[in-house]
Amino acid sequence: MLRRGNGVEPETLDPHRAEGVSTSNILRDLFEGLVTEAPDGSLEPGAAARWTTSADGRTWTFTLRPDGRWSNGDPVTAFDFEYGLRRSVDPATLSEYAAILAPLANAEAVIAGEQPPAALGVRALDALTLEIRLNAPTPYLLGLLTHSSAYPGHRPSVEQHGPGFARPGRLVGNGAYVLAEWAVQSHIRLARNGRFRDDRATTVDEVWYYPIESADAELNRYRAGELDVTSTVPLRQLGFLRENLGAELRIAPYLGSYVFGFNCTQPPFRDNPGLRRALVLALDRAILTGRITGAGEIAAATWVPPMPGYPSPAPDWAGWSQADREAEARRLYAAAGYSRERPLRVQLLYNTDTNHRRLCAAMAAMWREVLGVEAELLNQEWPVFLQTRRERLDTQVFRYGWIGDYQDPYTFLEILHSRHGLNDMGYANPAYDALLAAAGAEVDGERRLALLADAERLLLADLPLLPIY
């Protein structure tokens, strides 16, 4: 038995509607994509045994393993992947993540409701052969196919149970585990799936996931022996943990960015890049990452984290001293019509978590000291927080962040496209969208990365988000 602390309560276990790290952790146990990840992060065959690509890189053919089985014993076929991919882009599914499949032929037209899901560039040639057609060569396709949006769907159970199919006793998966129990705000228990194609390699019979939104509580349960694994620790206790838990504490790189978003559709940040820039410059990231977080986070001036081969476009202020940043922040703040006598009053929203609260409190203190900003801290539980962000009615500055779905800058940059379902900032710049489209159609790899860097350069000039680390 393995007992894992898992942060927030999953919003759903429907793989084609899911978002968030805690949900993805569980879905990787319940489903298997065409491609999967090895322990070192490299890609390897999953439900597919092998694949080939056409000379122009626009057509991929996947051969499925003949021993693939759903947890109810049905064979896993290419038709199941065809169904799952079409379901992800079908507007009726209400997936906020559908745009991740934009490289597939006709995906954007299907997502927009202009073509039916059957028009998507995917088809089962026979029970074990799946063809995927792309708009242009997509170097990160295999990494994309590890994401839950590309998981297969067991059509009979989905159609029989409707939206309630992703519940214990109903969810049919093709992964190493089945969903045995789901007690909301208590635990999710997974049991070993004896029909999994590689069940011989499974060494743990049960996995228990615990939603615990307090980092202190999660650490206490770990130290009491109630959890075997936790990936959330109170940042202020890192020194104690390093000293007392030794090799139990492991810190490794994570392909992600921790930022805050500005609501670009409502005052005071709509059509006000100068004010957004003032708040960005007023923060001392060396203090935030050195004293507040302290786990080795890299202070960020960009949205895309460092990646091999990507010419990251550092903004002009990245090389300035903190004193120069703060001087420019005060100038921009005054130019936007604010002063200590007439301060900006802003709401800083975050999902309930002790670490988020600590960082937000430090940011609010810096804004008050440098500019005189009056920031009100507000926290919400995860599902409510997501809904509030998405509606863009009651947000001003809010916690945002992204863990890359595959190792390519596009997994970060696509989110800020004006039509992306996860663009909670409401950022819309036709020039930015055009650069993403040009990169998507570019065959030359080096030129493609240069176009993506141009897009990020524009993004960093507009600043719909506030990079932290």
Side-chain angles (χ1 to χ4, degrees):
M1 178 190 297
L2 181 70
R3 299 162 301 174
R4 296 183 57 171
N6 197 42
V8 300
E9 178 78 29
E11 69 281 359
T12 178
L13 289 179
D14 179 342
H16 305 129
R17 296 187 61 192
E19 53 184 289
V21 172
S22 63
T23 305
S24 298
N25 292 340
I26 300 169
L27 289 174
R28 277 191 292 269
D29 282 349
L30 295 173
F31 292 88
E32 181 180 55
L34 294 164
V35 183
T36 189
E37 289 180 323
D40 65 357
S42 61
L43 301 176
E44 62 183 20
R50 58 188 181 277
W51 48 81
T52 60
T53 182
S54 61
D56 63 2
R58 296 177 60 180
T59 302
W60 290 68
T61 305
F62 294 84
T63 302
L64 272 66
R65 301 178 188 270
D67 57 349
R69 291 291 180 273
W70 290 100
S71 54
N72 70 344
D74 291 349
V76 176
T77 71
F79 295 99
D80 299 321
F81 280 93
E82 176 190 82
Y83 172 71
L85 287 162
R86 289 177 177 177
R87 184 172 183 268
S88 277
V89 298
D90 187 342
T93 303
L94 302 177
S95 169
E96 299 291 344
Y97 232 125
I100 195 176
L101 298 175
L104 275 64
N106 299 326
E108 292 183 329
V110 175
I111 294 168
E114 298 166 358
Q115 293 193 40
L120 182 69
V122 56
R123 61 172 178 156
L125 303 182
D126 56 47
L128 295 179
T129 310
L130 183 77
E131 180 186 87
I132 294 179
R133 291 179 291 108
L134 306 174
N135 296 312
T138 305
Y140 57 87
L141 176 68
L142 295 178
L144 185 156
L145 293 177
T146 68
H147 189 264
S148 64
S149 292
Y151 286 168
H154 186 258
R155 187 169 191 161
S157 61
V158 174
E159 293 183 344
Q160 178 183 354
H161 300 294
F165 82 92
R167 303 296 302 179
R170 296 178 178 177
L171 191 149
V172 178
N174 70 323
Y177 295 89
V178 295
L179 180 60
E181 291 181 56
W182 186 353
V184 175
Q185 294 298 340
S186 174
H187 65 270
I188 288 177
R189 180 172 67 87
L190 308 185
R192 183 172 180 163
N193 175 15
R195 294 189 172 102
F196 178 53
R197 62 160 187 89
D198 197 21
D199 180 58
R200 293 184 305 275
T202 303
T203 57
V204 175
D205 292 326
E206 286 189 346
V207 185
W208 292 64
Y209 285 92
Y210 295 92
I212 308 170
E213 295 191 351
S214 165
D216 293 287
E218 188 157 324
L219 177 61
N220 289 339
R221 292 183 68 171
Y222 173 82
R223 295 186 64 203
E226 296 177 14
L227 298 177
D228 302 304
V229 180
T230 171
S231 59
T232 303
V233 296
L235 295 172
R236 68 180 185 279
Q237 294 197 45
L238 276 173
F240 169 84
L241 296 175
R242 286 188 171 106
E243 182 177 346
N244 292 277
L245 295 189
E248 291 182 55
L249 177 66
R250 304 184 184 190
I251 298 177
Y254 203 17
L255 185 65
S257 288
Y258 188 107
V259 303
F260 284 76
F262 293 110
N263 186 342
C264 297
T265 69
Q266 303 286 340
F269 298 112
R270 183 181 64 198
D271 301 324
N272 204 341
L275 180 60
R276 301 196 294 264
R277 183 175 167 94
L279 295 191
V280 169
L281 294 176
L283 296 180
D284 189 334
R285 287 158 185 77
I287 292 177
L288 292 177
T289 57
R291 300 183 191 174
I292 306 302
T293 58
E297 295 87 351
I298 303 169
T302 60
W303 169 224
V304 179
M307 241 180 259
Y310 178 60
S312 184
D316 54 358
W317 56 267
W320 297 358
S321 68
Q322 186 58 33
D324 287 343
R325 293 178 190 177
E326 292 175 7
E328 178 65 2
R330 285 188 284 268
R331 186 190 71 78
L332 292 168
Y333 187 67
Y338 296 98
S339 64
R340 293 192 180 276
E341 294 71 32
R342 185 180 177 273
L344 170 69
R345 290 181 169 83
V346 68
Q347 192 176 80
L348 186 54
L349 177 69
Y350 63 96
N351 57 294
T352 304
D353 178 274
T354 50
N355 290 334
H356 298 330
R357 181 180 69 237
R358 191 162 179 257
L359 188 64
C360 287
M363 291 169 54
M366 289 178 180
W367 283 339
R368 183 171 58 250
E369 179 180 349
V370 176
L371 301 173
V373 171
E374 296 295 331
E376 175 193 5
L377 271 58
L378 176 66
N379 66 292
Q380 294 179 341
E381 299 305 307
W382 179 246
V384 179
F385 173 72
L386 288 181
Q387 187 63 30
T388 302
R389 278 189 354 190
R390 194 167 295 136
E391 290 175 348
R392 302 192 203 117
L393 297 176
D394 298 316
T395 59
Q396 293 178 323
V397 186
F398 50 86
R399 193 192 78 80
Y400 200 84
W402 196 250
I403 304 302
D405 295 314
Y406 44 85
Q407 188 167 289
D408 189 272
Y410 194 75
T411 187
F412 291 86
L413 297 172
E414 67 171 329
I415 297 167
L416 276 298
H417 190 285
S418 60
R419 295 195 302 273
H420 199 286
L422 297 175
N423 180 1
D424 296 338
M425 286 64 68
Y427 176 63
N429 185 328
Y432 181 83
D433 291 353
L435 283 167
L436 292 188
E442 179 57 56
V443 176
D444 181 81
E446 187 173 336
R447 174 59 182 158
R448 174 182 170 275
L449 289 176
L451 287 167
L452 292 177
D454 288 343
E456 187 178 13
R457 188 173 292 107
L458 183 58
L459 183 75
L460 296 174
D462 291 343
L463 285 176
L465 44 78
L466 189 162
I468 302 293
Y469 63 76

